[in-house]
Amino acid sequence: MPENVLRVTDLHKIYAGGVHAVRGVSFEVNEGESVAIIGPSGGGKSTVLRCINRLIEPTEGVVRLRGERINTPGADVNDVRSRIGMVFQSFELFAHLKVLDNVTLGLRHVRKMSKEEAKERALSVLERVDLLDRIDAYPGNLSGGQKQRVAIARALAMSPEVMLFDEPTSALDPELMGSVLATIRRLADQTLSMGK
Ligand code: ADP
């Protein structure tokens, strides 16, 4: 049986203003699986994802990563975030850093890699998202699709156990969506074949 990676149990989120955005959501994700959460705008999808990697705390419920409860005060938030990669609709790249430096930043500061190790790792993931020719560009000079692929590379570089994508193509023009979707699909297929 495939190993359980993520288990969300009876998650609730009531925002400070009183909006009950998530009401008793439970699901699990096993090794190699891709799971999509579908629903109307304002339905609570982003809230669920943000509770999983602790950008916000749920009002109630349990999130377990490989069986270990991660939404307790005792769990190290930075450790959780380095094990769960996240890609946002709005890319969230550092505008003043070149593509390569956006990807090496977390490797240097969180993974504590040397400059050379971080560069080698960054180049290998940038190759996987087909951006080796843009490593010296600044985000402002990239297309939306390229920016999102940098964000995917940055998350992937940390070797997360789970990747969360929050509407990764909704800010993109339709003609740029294809490259991002193809990248995500390819990565999911590669992960699946690695898990076999
Ligand atoms: P989705 O991702 O499905 O569009 P969200 O999780 O972004 O939905 O939002 C769910 C509900 O929670 C919405 O009604 C939204 O207005 C509300 N909401 C989201 N973020 C906040 C916040 N920081 N404070 C208060 N209400 C919020």
Side-chain angles (χ1 to χ4, degrees), residues 13-22 37-50 56 89 166-167:
K13 176 66 184 178
I14 304 173
Y15 282 108
V19 175
H20 199 156
V22 175
I37 304 177
I38 300 169
S41 175
K45 306 179 295 296
S46 296
T47 302
V48 169
L49 296 184
R50 284 187 275 144
I56 55 174
Q89 178 180 338
D166 191 359
E167 300 199 45

Side-chain angles (χ1 to χ4, degrees), residues 86-87 91 93 146-156:
M86 183 140 179
V87 173
F91 324 125
L93 297 176
Q146 289 172 328
K147 280 185 211 167
Q148 196 55 300
R149 282 185 284 135
V150 176
I152 293 171
R154 178 179 59 180
L156 204 61

Side-chain angles (χ1 to χ4, degrees), residues 62-154:
V62 178
V63 181
R64 289 182 190 277
L65 184 59
R66 294 195 190 274
E68 181 191 336
R69 185 167 176 171
I70 56 172
N71 67 321
T72 60
D76 179 352
V77 173
N78 289 328
D79 178 57
V80 169
R81 302 232 180 97
S82 71
R83 295 173 66 190
I84 303 179
M86 183 140 179
V87 173
F88 301 88
Q89 178 180 338
S90 49
F91 324 125
E92 310 292 347
L93 297 176
F94 290 107
H96 66 292
L97 294 180
K98 291 178 178 177
V99 164
L100 184 64
D101 299 328
N102 262 284
V103 180
T104 56
L105 193 69
L107 296 171
R108 304 275 331 264
H109 294 281
V110 180
R111 291 272 187 249
K112 308 287 182 207
M113 284 186 180
S114 70
K115 204 172 169 181
E116 294 69 32
E117 265 182 307
K119 183 172 178 185
E120 194 180 326
R121 171 90 190 129
L123 291 176
S124 99
V125 286
L126 284 163
E127 185 176 16
R128 286 176 74 187
V129 299
D130 204 17
L131 276 176
L132 270 190
D133 55 337
R134 302 311 307 271
I135 62 171
D136 287 323
Y138 286 93
N141 295 328
L142 300 177
S143 73
Q146 289 172 328
K147 280 185 211 167
Q148 196 55 300
R149 282 185 284 135
V150 176
I152 293 171
R154 178 179 59 180

Side-chain angles (χ1 to χ4, degrees), residues 141-183:
N141 295 328
L142 300 177
S143 73
Q146 289 172 328
K147 280 185 211 167
Q148 196 55 300
R149 282 185 284 135
V150 176
I152 293 171
R154 178 179 59 180
L156 204 61
M158 303 292 282
S159 310
E161 293 164 54
V162 178
M163 282 274 277
L164 308 176
F165 292 91
D166 191 359
E167 300 199 45
T169 60
S170 61
L172 304 178
D173 292 334
E175 69 270 25
L176 297 177
M177 258 183 214
S179 72
V180 172
L181 284 179
T183 301

